[in-house]
Amino acid sequence: MNQLKETIQEYMNKMVKPVFDQLLAQLLLARPDDVINWSINWLEKLQSVNQKGNKQETQHNQSEEEEDEDDEVLPIQKETKKTTRTGVSAEVYGEFNKKENFKPRVIEKTREQIDRIRKKVLNSFLFQALDEQNLHTVIGAMEEKKFQPGDFVIRQGDDGNELYVIDEGELECTKKFPNQPQERFLKKYLPGESFGELALLYNVPRAATIKAIQPVIAFALDRATFNNIVKDAAIRKREQMEQILNKIELLQSMDTYERLQFCDVLKEAKYCRGDKVIQQGEQGDTIYLIAEGELEAYKEGQLEKVYAYKSGDYFGELALLKNTPRQATIIATTDCTLYYCDFKSFTRMMGPLEQILRRNIGRYEQYLQ
């Protein structure tokens, strides 16, 4: 029975989940009225691309065998799989996202502008994987743009050719959901944050409307530079982060758009077994989400642990909700990967979940009397 369960789980993870994760993401971005027909068309397109890739793989293998019957098959399979994935990405995500002979635009800037852009883009995880040369190219291609209160920077449903990194000012993000008469407010954007990348990553219309509520200075990056320099690393990072956030029970009520935006305020930290993550009595301004590993909470003067944490849990919220110093010491009992953000960013993104946090205090409050 255990072997059968493991076989089914392996099949789900390798064969089913990758397809349905992509389909779900595209559905939530496109929000078609006819979900069934839209999904069928998307799957047929994916099937067509895969069949084309398999045909190319067969022809390639036959050609190699004719040249040298003793050639190893394994290296050919690795190469052709890579080619097939590239084909899926190019065709499913659209012609606009194909790479080309690329010469990045260069917009002249002062030293002060360059320093401002560098400081802001390095706060966004979209750009954190870039090496120095690519970062230099991205900064050179960015264009400073100014908006006044009431100006719409992007509108839901429009095509998008730029992403924006905020230098100064605030903007509000709203979204119109099906069968709802009014747009729903999602969040405020503050300096250092970026937006507009979803349309470039997946070649879909703008997923929300963003309007300036203060005088705003932002740096705009064009689609061509994004596709050729940033996109591949950004997609890998987005997928990795979304897989991690999907594990966090606290975030299950967020839709894909909100979850992806939440990625922008998270930072990663790794701890070894035995490390103290937070110390009882210190002032805390951070909440932690556990991607991997296990931790335990202890209160001074008590031998019994307050709580045991595992992958998918969160901690640090008591200082946020009670406005008090840290109530316990949290120690890693295995090597851990955590994602964290400051309370201001958390409440701005996750404010509606405050009641869930308060309800869950009861899981260990009995130990903190």
Side-chain angles (χ1 to χ4, degrees):
M1 179 63 71
N2 287 338
Q3 185 176 1
L4 176 60
K5 184 177 179 181
E6 291 175 2
T7 301
I8 293 174
Q9 187 65 47
E10 182 180 6
Y11 178 79
M12 284 288 296
N13 291 337
K14 288 186 177 181
M15 305 299 292
V16 179
K17 192 173 184 299
V19 175
F20 276 88
D21 282 350
Q22 289 186 64
L23 175 59
L24 179 59
Q26 294 304 307
L27 279 170
L28 292 175
L29 289 169
R31 296 184 180 273
D33 292 331
D34 190 340
V35 173
I36 294 176
N37 281 331
W38 192 97
S39 300
I40 290 172
N41 290 335
W42 187 89
L43 289 167
E44 286 177 343
K45 192 170 187 179
L46 182 63
Q47 181 186 43
S48 175
V49 174
N50 282 336
Q51 287 174 342
K52 185 186 300 183
N54 291 335
K55 183 177 180 181
Q56 291 172 349
E57 179 178 349
T58 301
Q59 292 173 345
H60 180 72
N61 287 344
Q62 288 174 346
S63 174
E64 291 292 330
E65 288 171 1
E66 290 172 0
E67 292 176 6
D68 186 352
E69 293 182 357
D70 295 328
D71 279 350
E72 292 289 338
V73 177
L74 187 58
I76 298 174
Q77 290 177 333
K78 286 184 177 180
E79 181 64 30
T80 53
K81 284 183 180 178
K82 182 177 180 181
T83 303
T84 301
R85 282 198 300 269
T86 303
V88 170
S89 176
E91 296 217 22
V92 174
Y93 292 142
E95 293 296 318
F96 287 118
N97 286 330
K98 286 185 176 179
K99 290 191 176 181
E100 54 192 27
N101 293 328
F102 174 64
K103 184 176 180 180
R105 69 180 187 180
V106 179
I107 297 175
E108 290 189 10
K109 299 175 182 67
T110 65
R111 181 75 254 174
E112 185 265 344
Q113 284 179 310
I114 292 173
D115 290 342
R116 281 161 49 208
I117 296 174
R118 173 182 287 272
K119 182 178 179 181
K120 292 297 188 298
V121 300
L122 288 178
N123 285 332
S124 173
F125 84 89
L126 280 174
F127 304 100
Q128 290 173 358
L130 298 180
D131 59 28
E132 186 60 34
Q133 181 179 353
N134 285 333
L135 182 62
H136 178 77
T137 300
V138 167
I139 292 174
M142 283 189 159
E143 179 182 4
E144 181 175 296
K145 294 193 173 184
K146 297 182 178 181
F147 303 93
Q148 296 303 314
D151 288 348
F152 289 93
V153 183
I154 64 176
R155 291 179 184 267
Q156 183 175 347
D158 287 352
D159 292 332
N161 289 307
E162 293 178 316
L163 71 81
Y164 300 86
V165 178
I166 306 167
D167 183 40
E168 296 179 7
E170 296 183 6
L171 306 96
E172 67 174 14
C173 176
T174 58
K175 186 175 179 65
K176 178 71 168 63
F177 289 91
N179 303 319
Q180 293 187 12
Q182 301 294 327
E183 290 186 337
R184 192 174 89 192
F185 173 79
L186 296 183
K187 63 166 288 185
K188 279 187 179 180
Y189 279 99
L190 301 178
E193 295 186 287
S194 60
F195 61 88
E197 73 280 4
L198 291 181
L200 307 188
L201 282 171
Y202 303 116
N203 191 34
V204 294
R206 295 296 194 187
T209 295
I210 297 181
K211 180 176 69 174
I213 56 177
Q214 294 180 357
V216 169
I217 298 176
F219 300 110
L221 182 66
D222 61 293
R223 178 188 287 274
T225 304
F226 181 84
N227 282 349
N228 285 273
I229 305 296
V230 183
K231 180 191 168 191
D232 289 345
I235 286 179
R236 288 194 298 271
K237 188 69 174 177
R238 281 283 192 201
E239 290 175 347
Q240 177 189 16
M241 290 290 290
E242 188 168 13
Q243 287 176 3
I244 290 168
L245 295 182
N246 281 338
K247 299 178 183 177
I248 309 297
E249 182 181 358
L250 178 66
L251 311 182
Q252 293 305 304
S253 64
M254 300 176 75
D255 66 24
T256 298
Y257 179 80
E258 293 168 322
R259 193 177 294 119
L260 290 176
Q261 294 305 310
F262 189 47
C263 293
D264 285 332
V265 302
L266 292 178
K267 296 179 174 61
E268 180 182 300
K270 293 184 179 293
Y271 293 89
C272 297
R273 179 180 180 182
D275 287 350
K276 289 183 180 179
V277 180
I278 61 176
Q279 176 70 48
Q280 181 177 340
E282 66 184 8
Q283 292 297 319
D285 64 350
T286 307
I287 185 168
Y288 294 87
L289 311 175
I290 306 172
E292 295 179 355
E294 298 177 359
L295 306 95
E296 292 179 347
Y298 290 89
K299 189 171 175 65
E300 290 181 3
Q302 297 182 13
L303 296 178
E304 184 181 3
K305 65 186 175 188
V306 174
Y307 200 79
Y309 300 95
K310 62 184 184 305
S311 176
D313 283 338
Y314 59 91
F315 61 90
E317 79 282 10
L318 282 177
L320 164 65
L321 298 175
K322 290 174 166 287
N323 194 27
T324 59
R326 297 296 194 188
Q327 298 291 292
T329 297
I330 311 293
I331 301 174
T333 55
T334 68
D335 292 346
C336 295
T337 300
L338 308 180
Y339 284 87
Y340 67 93
C341 67
D342 62 88
F343 289 157
K344 183 178 179 181
S345 298
F346 182 85
T347 53
R348 180 162 47 84
M349 289 293 301
M350 308 292 288
L353 296 180
E354 182 174 338
Q355 293 304 314
I356 297 176
L357 288 173
R358 292 191 180 279
R359 184 180 68 223
N360 288 346
I361 288 179
R363 61 185 180 168
Y364 44 61
E365 194 170 37
Q366 58 180 311
Y367 297 101
L368 301 177
Q369 305 300 325

